[in-house]
């Protein structure tokens, strides 16, 4: 006999596949069009750069997807990324931490901000929009204080591998970027947690109908804290890649990353109203944004045109979501 949970999981998987088909189709058409217009788009070097550039936003989008499915939002991720990166940078520069210890510092720092966001949201009964808006400013201030408003270097030997190294690397420099590998691992783990655990089912329940979830016995405060903590943890992972790519820890890093992560989530089919969405769509959305920006760069378009195009696609994605849910 098939259990209700397996039926629910299968239905949710079908829904995620259906939600991701439109952005995936658009991504495929856009990639073919760019390849026809500029064959350099599919060059190995360009694809590697695209994978590295997308990884940070995609990891943040993975965490943001969980938050938005639960009908919450986190506006602090960009500033938290800068803070976590600066904490890791100070640990390496001033205290001679190695690579593993520095990664632990970044993840712990990001998680700490997530815990605070969750506690204030849950126990203060303040909308997460307001809480994380304040945290966005506070984290930026912490990053500037920790770094004394200057870039932090040098980093621990070997730390640069996450941003510039690759798997299966050859003398020609070809290989699968480590940043991309880390992104895929994060996506798979969180996808499994969302789709195959009681906690994951609770995330969907909270976002779908908060009152029904409460009446069914779900601890709403614990769910809020745990969701925000997870967001903080993946922000720490993204900070590691960002610092590694830059070669320094920058207190100004992560500017507008909160907007890009939300945009990637929405473009990937996750509803801003909560209750629906999935990790595959978030990855597709992140790559969709990166491909649009990369295509604009190859076409010689200025940054203003890039923002205009990406912003228009975001609005269209939200309108599509509204229309689809009415039918």
């Amino acid at each position: 006999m098939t259990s209700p949970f397996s039926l629910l999981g299968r239905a949710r998987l079908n829904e995620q596949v259906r939600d991701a088909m439109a952005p995936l189709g658009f991504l495929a058409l856009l990639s073919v069009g760019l390849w026809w217009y500029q064959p350099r788009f599919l060059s190995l070097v360009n694809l590697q750069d695209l994978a590295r550039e997308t990884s940070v936003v995609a990891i943040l989008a993975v965490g943001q997807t969980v938050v938005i499915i639960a009908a919450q939002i986190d506006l602090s991720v960009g500033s938290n990324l800068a803070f976590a990166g600066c904490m890791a940078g100070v640990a390496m520069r001033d205290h001679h931490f190695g690579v593993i210890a520095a990664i632990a510092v970044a993840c712990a720092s990001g998680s700490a901000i997530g815990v605070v966001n969750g506690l204030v949201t849950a126990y203060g009964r303040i909308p997460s929009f307001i809480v994380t808006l304040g945290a966005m400013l506070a984290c930026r201030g912490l990053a500037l204080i920790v770094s004394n408003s200057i870039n932090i270097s040098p980093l621990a030997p070997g730390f640069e591998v996450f941003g510039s190294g690759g798997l299966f690397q050859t003398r020609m420099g070809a290989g699968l970027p480590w940043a991309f590998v880390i992104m895929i691992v994060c996506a798979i783990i969180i996808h499994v947690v969302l789709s195959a655990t009681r906690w994951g089912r609770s995330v969907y329940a909270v976002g779908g109908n908060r009152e029904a979830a409460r009446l069914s016995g779900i601890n709403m405060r614990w769910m809020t804290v745990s969701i925000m903590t997870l967001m903080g943890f993946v922000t720490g992972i993204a900070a590691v890649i960002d610092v590694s790519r830059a070669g320094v820890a920058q207190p100004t890093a992560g500017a507008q990353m909160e907007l890009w992560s939300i945009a990637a989530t929405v473009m990937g089919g996750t509803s801003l109203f909560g209750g629906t969405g999935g990790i595959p769509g978030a990855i597709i959305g992140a790559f969709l944004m990166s491909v649009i920006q990369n295509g604009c760069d190859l076409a010689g378009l200025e940054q203003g045109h890039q923002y205009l195009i990406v912003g228009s696609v975001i609005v269209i994605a939200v309108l599509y979501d509204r229309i689809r849910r009415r039918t």
Side-chain angles (χ1 to χ4, degrees), residues 74-256:
D74 191 341
L75 299 178
S76 68
V77 294
S79 299
N80 192 7
L81 180 144
F83 168 65
C86 286
M87 289 293 289
V90 168
M92 288 183 281
R93 184 194 64 185
D94 297 346
H95 304 288
H96 309 293
F97 277 32
V99 173
I100 301 301
I103 293 173
V105 169
C107 292
S109 300
S111 299
I113 299 299
V115 170
V116 172
N117 286 340
L119 288 173
V120 175
T121 301
Y123 290 90
R125 298 184 179 180
I126 304 173
S128 57
F129 179 90
I130 301 300
V131 173
T132 57
L133 179 62
M136 177 178 68
L137 299 175
C139 287
R140 186 65 66 182
L142 287 172
L144 290 168
I145 292 170
V146 167
S147 65
N148 290 321
S149 301
I150 60 174
N151 292 340
I152 302 170
S153 63
L155 306 178
F159 196 81
E160 71 283 351
V161 68
F162 303 111
S164 59
L167 190 63
F168 311 122
Q169 198 137 4
T170 67
R171 292 180 180 179
M172 300 298 293
L176 196 61
W178 277 116
F180 180 81
V181 174
I182 294 170
M183 177 203 73
I184 292 298
V185 172
C186 287
I188 291 174
I189 291 174
I190 295 181
H191 173 72
V192 170
V193 169
L194 266 182
S195 59
T197 68
R198 183 179 298 273
W199 183 86
R201 292 190 291 270
S202 297
V203 171
Y204 282 98
V206 169
N209 190 321
R210 190 174 182 84
E211 183 61 19
R214 185 185 66 82
L215 293 174
S216 68
I218 295 176
N219 187 327
M220 305 301 289
R221 288 176 172 173
W222 156 246
M223 287 303 301
T224 300
V225 174
S226 62
I227 289 166
M228 289 299 190
T229 302
L230 176 64
M231 181 74 253
F233 179 79
V234 299
T235 301
I237 296 175
V240 170
I241 297 176
D242 186 71
V243 171
S244 178
R245 284 184 57 211
V248 294
Q250 306 173 75
T252 57
Q256 297 185 336

